[in-house]
């Protein structure tokens, strides 16, 4: 299978060995984990195995596999065309040398990572895809997709940077353009009925993640931040129906834990909200350092977290036989996402306030990937928000390497002393 996908077999085997060791150290050494996390352990063990076989089986049945990196790609439209929507590889310091032969060195780590995975022949997901959907959520990605298209067909959605009436109209037109692209690729018409079924599937996935987020308000916390992050990461890769069922079962277990006042750490453990850039698999460095030093993360204000699951597609009052009206609601839902690319972006500060208060965070760690200008710029406003909430905020800027882990840990230790 790997040979047919064109992977570098030796390098891929090395990656799997490193990933396995990394996962064991960060995840399997935790104590008192919920039993339901065994499913996530299994998914990770097969993230480059059985899941890829499932994707290839879908292709053999005539279905399209479409890859994406960003929350602005509506899964509902892909699923309505009977395509498989799947996340792509990033989040690791891999293929950097190859990526820097194409991209400037001071490109953000996420962009270099997805390029590096492709150029190094290490991502079976991108190889299994029929095409990739990119988006203009920053200048780096916008220009990088031009080049990436030379290696893999890439369709780019134009995400406006304001939410003015004109920008809203542009975004709705982009949704229409995506529908045409997906219909052509899949050879299937996206109907109102298929959209309704897809919305039901994706809304259910987001609802179960919302349920998980609410359970983390309990003290003691019923689940670690590392495990909650892992669940949000796997949501981009797993079959949505299966994922929703398994996370629902996990939430049942967590509700019982909350009722019994059981947690992964003692009551009164310092509680931290993470805010900022997305953390793709296997980017677990900062959460590991935070929880290793005696705190528990109680929320992720991030694309791989509550930013991606906050709103459902609301069909209240819609004529469910009217495909355009349904697409209007899909466009509205996705345009509520508070990505740092938007100006102004006051909703993000509001959400940090809400999440901090709801989940009783004693401090906020603002996490930005090196050279990610939108989130680095918004850190200033987040500091102001934290001062108004009278809780401390720690700004961290890092990449995917482990070289700065000792320095980060020292700063995190000092920060946690402030909220104990």
């Amino acid at each position: 299978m790997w040979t047919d996908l064109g992977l570098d077999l030796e390098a891929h085997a090395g990656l799997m060995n490193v990933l396995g060791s990394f996962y064991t150290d960060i995840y399997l050494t935790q104590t008192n984990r919920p039993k339901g996390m065994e499913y996530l352990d299994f998914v990770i063990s097969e993230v480059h195995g059985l899941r890829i076989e499932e994707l290839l089986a879908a292709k053999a049945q005539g279905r399209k596999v479409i890859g994406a990196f960003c929350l602005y790609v509506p899964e509902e439209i892909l699923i309505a065309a009977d395509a498989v929507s799947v996340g792509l590889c990033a989040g690791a310091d891999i293929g950097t040398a190859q990526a820097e032969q194409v991209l400037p060195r001071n490109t953000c780590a996420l962009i270099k990572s997805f390029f590096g995975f492709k150029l190094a022949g290490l991502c079976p997901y991108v190889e299994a895809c029929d095409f990739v959907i990119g988006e203009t959520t920053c200048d780096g990605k916008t220009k990088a997709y031009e080049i990436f298209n030379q290696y893999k067909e890439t369709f780019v959605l134009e995400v406006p940077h304001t939410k003015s009436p004109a920008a809203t109209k542009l975004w709705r037109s982009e949704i229409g353009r995506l529908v045409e692209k997906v219909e052509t690729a899949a050879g299937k018409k996206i109907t109102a009925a298929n959209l309704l079924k897809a919305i039901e599937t994706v809304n259910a996935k987001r609802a179960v993640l919302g349920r998980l987020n609410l359970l983390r308000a309990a003290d003691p916390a019923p689940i670690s931040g590392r495990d909650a992050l892992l669940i949000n990461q796997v949501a981009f890769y797993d079959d949505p129906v299966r994922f929703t069922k398994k996370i629902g079962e996990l939430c049942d277990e967590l509700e019982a834990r909350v009722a019994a006042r059981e947690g992964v750490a003692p009551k009164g453990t310092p509680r931290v909200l993470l805010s900022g850039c997305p953390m793709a698999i296997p980017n677990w460095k900062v959460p590991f350092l935070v929880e290793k030093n005696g705190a528990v993360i109680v929320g992720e204000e991030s694309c791989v977290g509550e930013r991606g699951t906050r709103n459902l597609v609301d069909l209240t009052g819609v004529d469910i036989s009217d495909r355009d009206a349904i697409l209007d609601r899909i466009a509205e839902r996705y345009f509520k996402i508070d990505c740092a690319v938007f100006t102004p972006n006051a909703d993000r500060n509001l959400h940090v306030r809400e999440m901090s208060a709801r989940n009783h965070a004693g401090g906020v760690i603002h996490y930005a990937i090196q050279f990610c200008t939108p989130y680095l710029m918004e850190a200033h406003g987040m500091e102001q928000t934290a001062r108004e909430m009278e809780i401390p905020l720690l700004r961290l800027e890092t990449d995917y390497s482990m070289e700065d882990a000792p320095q980060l840990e020292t700063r995190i230790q000092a920060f946690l002393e402030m909220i104990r």
Side-chain angles (χ1 to χ4, degrees):
M1 180 171 70
W2 304 130
T3 302
D4 291 342
L5 288 172
L7 298 187
D8 182 327
L9 300 183
E10 183 176 349
H12 185 259
L15 170 64
M16 290 298 97
N17 286 334
V18 172
L19 181 62
S21 174
F22 199 43
Y23 189 81
T24 298
D25 292 343
I26 291 177
Y27 278 94
L28 302 186
T29 55
Q30 295 181 95
T31 57
N32 200 23
R33 293 177 85 203
K35 185 173 176 55
M37 287 306 299
E38 290 178 0
Y39 173 69
L40 283 299
D41 293 338
F42 173 74
V43 170
I44 289 296
S45 73
E46 294 292 342
V47 73
H48 279 209
L50 288 178
R51 185 55 179 151
I52 301 301
E53 291 182 16
E54 288 182 342
L55 298 181
L56 296 179
K59 287 169 68 83
Q61 295 168 3
R63 300 173 69 191
K64 296 297 178 183
V65 176
I66 303 173
F69 291 105
C70 183
L71 298 180
Y72 285 96
V73 179
E75 290 181 71
E76 295 88 343
I77 291 172
L78 279 52
I79 294 173
D82 197 29
V84 181
S85 172
V86 68
L88 302 174
C89 305
D93 190 22
I94 286 174
T96 303
Q98 293 96 324
E100 289 183 349
Q101 290 177 9
V102 179
L103 304 173
R105 291 192 66 187
N106 59 352
T107 302
C108 92
L110 188 149
I111 296 172
K112 283 201 287 190
S113 181
F114 82 71
F115 248 91
F117 267 104
K118 170 59 183 170
L119 298 182
L122 291 172
C123 181
Y125 289 90
V126 75
E127 305 304 338
C129 284
D130 291 283
F131 67 97
V132 169
I133 301 176
E135 79 302 317
T136 59
T137 47
C138 72
D139 289 347
K141 276 186 167 181
T142 300
K143 300 307 293 183
Y145 287 130
E146 287 181 18
I147 306 172
F148 199 71
N149 188 52
Q150 297 173 17
Y151 303 94
K152 189 76 178 181
E153 181 187 352
T154 305
F155 175 88
V156 179
L157 271 175
E158 183 173 351
V159 177
H161 295 178
T162 75
K163 295 186 179 179
S164 67
T168 303
K169 186 175 180 181
L170 169 62
W171 174 240
R172 177 62 181 85
S173 72
E174 285 296 286
I175 294 297
R177 197 166 64 86
L178 176 64
V179 168
E180 292 177 3
K181 169 63 181 177
V182 173
E183 284 183 333
T184 301
K188 295 176 182 174
K189 186 72 175 175
I190 295 175
T191 65
N194 289 341
L195 277 174
L196 292 175
K197 188 175 179 181
I199 288 171
E200 182 180 0
T201 297
V202 181
N203 272 354
K205 181 171 76 167
R206 294 194 181 113
V208 80
L209 290 169
R211 183 182 170 199
L212 171 68
N213 292 331
L214 294 178
L215 287 165
R216 297 169 71 188
D219 189 7
I223 188 169
S224 71
R226 275 170 283 180
D227 280 336
L229 173 63
L230 182 68
I231 292 167
N232 280 284
Q233 290 173 329
V234 167
F236 285 84
Y237 296 91
D238 201 5
D239 174 81
V241 174
R242 178 175 59 206
F243 174 84
T244 300
K245 178 177 183 295
K246 300 304 291 186
I247 302 307
E249 293 171 359
L250 173 64
C251 286
D252 292 342
E253 180 185 355
L254 298 186
E255 282 183 351
R257 280 189 156 207
V258 171
R261 299 185 179 181
E262 295 177 3
V264 291
K267 182 179 174 63
T269 295
R271 301 165 69 88
V272 173
L273 178 74
L274 274 183
S275 172
C277 288
M279 294 180 175
I281 294 174
N283 181 10
W284 304 308
K285 178 171 64 176
V286 169
F288 173 60
L289 293 176
V290 171
E291 296 195 331
K292 172 189 173 188
N293 283 283
V296 61
I297 296 167
V298 294
E300 296 79 26
E301 189 281 313
S302 162
C303 299
V304 187
E306 202 157 324
R307 188 178 304 136
T309 60
R310 181 171 291 114
N311 298 301
L312 308 184
V313 175
D314 182 3
L315 295 175
T316 304
V318 170
D319 177 355
I320 58 172
S321 66
D322 185 341
R323 189 184 84 148
D324 286 342
I326 296 171
L327 288 172
D328 288 344
R329 293 299 180 90
I330 290 175
E332 289 172 11
R333 185 267 163 197
Y334 281 83
F335 216 41
K336 292 177 181 174
I337 298 171
D338 57 351
C339 174
V341 75
F342 282 98
T343 183
N345 193 32
D347 282 355
R348 186 169 163 234
N349 299 69
L350 176 63
H351 291 142
V352 167
R353 285 177 181 273
E354 290 175 346
M355 292 178 66
S356 297
R358 186 194 69 209
N359 287 3
H360 313 294
V364 177
I365 293 181
H366 190 274
Y367 164 82
I369 299 172
Q370 198 172 34
F371 303 121
C372 179
T373 303
Y375 282 96
L376 287 167
M377 290 284 187
E378 287 204 343
H380 173 73
M382 285 300 163
E383 284 179 327
Q384 184 175 345
T385 297
R387 281 195 296 272
E388 292 168 359
M389 292 189 294
E390 298 184 343
I391 61 174
L393 180 144
L394 173 66
R395 291 173 61 159
L396 295 181
E397 180 181 351
T398 183
D399 57 19
Y400 297 152
S401 77
M402 294 301 289
E403 292 177 359
D404 63 349
Q407 293 88 344
L408 289 175
E409 185 167 14
T410 299
R411 294 185 63 202
I412 289 168
Q413 287 170 339
F415 176 73
L416 294 180
E417 285 302 314
M418 297 171 65
I419 62 174
R420 288 186 194 281

